[in-house]
Amino acid sequence: MTDFTDFSGNDAASTTESTFIDLDTSDAREPMCVEDGEYLIRVTGYRKDGDGNIIRTGSTGNKYFIMAFDIPDEEFSKGFSKIFSLPTPDTEPKRLNMIKWDLDCLKRCFGMVDLDLNGFIGKTGYALVTKKNDPQYGEQNEVKKFIVGA
């Protein structure tokens, strides 16, 4: 395959701009959702808001972040994401416990001690992944449950 380290469309030794990229795409396949099951998943990054922020603020003022995943062992699988809420000073105790539990399972799944968000990128762990049909985005995978050690 062609080396695209330059990414400008130019040959590294050339000073003239080229618009031709020598890449055969005839074997490309549409990414698909995987069937329900337990999969090794990898953190690929975060869905940022329009201003480039990882920590977002919802319409009600609540803070959250959206973590992006892929399934490295499934060559043609779609990426997917999961929303994680963050507590506010007035979060009710039951909701606060659920937020803490979700974040604790996330940390344990990926072998993290703290919530250093940049530290998660590239980490792998196991999760129960399911398929759903979203009316707006079509067929999507989602993390149903993170698999954590005892």
Side-chain angles (χ1 to χ4, degrees):
M1 188 159 92
T2 305
D3 177 15
F4 292 105
T5 53
D6 181 27
F7 292 110
S8 67
N10 297 332
D11 179 308
S14 173
T15 57
T16 58
E17 190 168 323
S18 170
T19 58
F20 180 79
I21 297 175
D22 185 17
L23 178 66
D24 178 11
T25 61
S26 64
D27 61 346
R29 288 182 44 188
E30 179 180 2
M32 304 295 286
C33 288
V34 296
E35 295 301 320
D36 295 1
E38 187 176 312
Y39 292 90
L40 177 74
I41 64 172
R42 174 177 48 207
V43 178
T44 59
Y46 302 92
R47 304 277 189 254
K48 296 180 180 180
D49 68 11
D51 295 324
N53 300 311
I54 292 174
I55 305 298
R56 299 163 164 239
T57 303
S59 58
T60 61
N62 291 334
K63 304 277 187 198
Y64 66 98
F65 63 94
I66 304 172
M67 188 173 276
F69 305 97
D70 76 352
I71 302 174
D73 296 336
E74 296 289 333
E75 181 180 6
F76 302 108
S77 65
K78 284 183 176 181
F80 53 98
S81 58
K82 180 171 176 58
I83 298 171
F84 293 91
S85 296
L86 296 171
T88 63
D90 60 338
T91 300
E92 294 188 14
K94 186 171 189 152
R95 176 82 178 124
L96 177 60
N97 184 63
M98 288 306 302
I99 290 170
K100 287 180 176 182
W101 179 251
D102 284 347
L103 294 172
D104 188 60
C105 288
L106 173 72
K107 289 186 330 185
R108 290 188 290 145
C109 177
F110 293 101
M112 297 291 287
V113 175
D114 55 31
L115 286 171
D116 170 15
L117 296 183
N118 285 331
F120 278 93
I121 296 174
K123 297 278 187 187
T124 59
Y126 285 89
L128 179 59
V129 176
T130 60
K131 185 166 48 171
K132 69 175 185 173
N133 195 0
D134 184 281
Q136 185 174 0
Y137 299 107
E139 209 171 64
Q140 301 287 310
N141 280 126
E142 66 180 352
V143 173
K144 200 65 165 173
K145 180 179 181 178
F146 290 107
I147 309 297
V148 296

